[in-house]
Amino acid sequence: MSFLDNLWRGRASEFDAGNAATNAIELTKRHQKVSLSKQNAAAGHLRVNLSWRMRTSDIGAPKRQSVLRHPFKALRPEEVQAHSQSMVNVDLDLGCLYELADGTKGVVQPLGGFLGDINEPPYMRLSGDDRFGSGSGETMYINLDHRDAFKRMLVFVYIYDQTPAFDRTHAIVTLYPSNGPRIEIGLDERHPQARSCAVVMIENVKGEITVRREVKFVYGFQAELDRLYGWGLQWGRGYKSKADQR
């Protein structure tokens, strides 16, 4: 019996479990919600990580050719394909719209250098900006020791440059609570022209911290996500400085 079976024995499952050996929860369309409070993980630092890699079909995968039409080509070694320029241009960014219990609203994101603060409002901090999808990806820390100060947080991913890339990447957002299994939300749906995606909503509902899968793609940027979820912020065109691209 797996760890998750023991954890939720005697009640209906609220989420799909991944491989038991990886100790992970996968939020899906069928099972969208999990409570951090119920697994004693609504304290400490919640780490939110964005990572991605290119789909193999977009990094020079060889095209299949008929052996009957080209019998001698089957004897030749396949040419080594270099990464294309389109792969290098992919730049996914992690951000979070927040609303505090006192009504304060804002955003944490690389664009504009709104990196936040872990020990002062908004009690979340973005650590740098990964331009090319490295192994570590982008990471945000949320201080749940101040959970009473939070009302809701919408974690989102957006594309900074002019290259729509959700259709060409395997992107995943992973939450690492202070206790219990990590929580994974995959962004594998095909939306070729989408530029932003609302990934997960973290809410304080009568003292209970819940995590709910959203995965809603939009064709605009943060302002469209704002309108979709009724945040009410004012948005303008922003650019990254060299300081934002750490």
Side-chain angles (χ1 to χ4, degrees), residues 2 4 15-28 181-182 184:
S2 71
L4 292 176
F15 44 76
D16 286 342
N19 188 330
T22 66
N23 195 28
I25 296 169
E26 182 184 359
L27 296 185
T28 66
R182 69 178 184 268
E184 297 179 347

Side-chain angles (χ1 to χ4, degrees):
M1 184 174 290
S2 71
F3 167 80
L4 292 176
D5 290 332
N6 286 322
L7 184 64
W8 298 95
R9 184 185 300 173
R11 58 187 296 181
S13 174
E14 296 183 8
F15 44 76
D16 286 342
N19 188 330
T22 66
N23 195 28
I25 296 169
E26 182 184 359
L27 296 185
T28 66
K29 289 182 178 180
R30 181 180 177 188
H31 301 296
Q32 301 181 355
K33 190 175 178 180
V34 64
S35 170
L36 294 182
S37 298
K38 289 180 180 178
Q39 65 182 44
N40 297 318
H45 287 177
L46 173 65
R47 180 161 59 99
V48 182
N49 177 261
L50 164 67
S51 60
W52 71 93
R53 58 185 174 83
M54 295 299 297
R55 298 181 186 274
T56 55
S57 60
D58 291 315
I59 56 176
K63 297 180 179 180
R64 293 186 177 181
Q65 294 183 334
S66 171
V67 176
L68 295 178
R69 289 187 177 183
H70 308 280
F72 294 104
K73 286 189 177 182
L75 302 177
R76 299 178 185 174
E78 294 180 351
E79 296 180 2
V80 177
Q81 300 290 334
H83 292 333
S84 65
Q85 184 64 29
S86 62
M87 177 183 177
V88 176
N89 285 339
V90 172
D91 182 13
L92 303 184
D93 281 337
L94 180 67
C96 183
L97 284 166
Y98 62 84
E99 181 178 0
L100 303 183
D102 65 3
T104 302
K105 297 179 182 180
V107 65
V108 171
Q109 62 179 21
L111 195 60
F114 295 102
L115 301 182
D117 193 301
I118 195 66
N119 295 313
E120 300 291 338
Y123 304 111
M124 61 181 70
R125 173 76 180 179
L126 184 65
S127 178
D129 176 20
D130 176 16
R131 299 301 306 277
F132 307 117
S134 67
S136 60
E138 294 191 5
T139 300
M140 180 185 301
Y141 297 90
I142 300 174
N143 190 348
L144 292 183
D145 287 337
H146 294 274
R147 57 190 175 277
D148 292 339
F150 291 114
K151 180 178 180 180
R152 59 175 180 160
M153 294 167 278
L154 179 66
V155 177
F156 63 91
V157 175
Y158 65 97
I159 299 169
Y160 169 65
D161 62 17
Q162 279 73 30
T163 308
F166 286 115
D167 196 45
R168 304 204 310 273
T169 61
H170 285 291
I172 185 169
V173 172
T174 306
L175 281 62
Y176 296 88
S178 60
N179 182 58
R182 69 178 184 268
I183 302 166
E184 297 179 347
I185 306 98
L187 308 183
D188 281 336
E189 297 177 19
R190 293 298 186 103
H191 291 268
Q193 300 303 316
R195 296 186 180 277
S196 305
C197 179
V199 180
V200 64
M201 180 76 78
I202 305 170
E203 293 181 291
N204 185 340
V205 182
K206 297 181 179 180
E208 180 182 2
I209 305 300
T210 61
V211 175
R212 185 179 71 247
R213 178 188 185 272
E214 297 292 327
V215 189
K216 295 180 180 178
F217 290 87
V218 300
Y219 297 99
F221 292 95
Q222 292 91 323
E224 189 167 343
L225 291 175
D226 184 309
R227 288 192 294 271
L228 183 63
Y229 287 90
W231 234 267
L233 300 178
Q234 297 295 320
W235 298 91
R237 178 62 177 167
Y239 300 91
K240 290 185 182 180
S241 66
K242 291 183 179 180
D244 300 329
Q245 298 174 9
R246 293 195 301 271

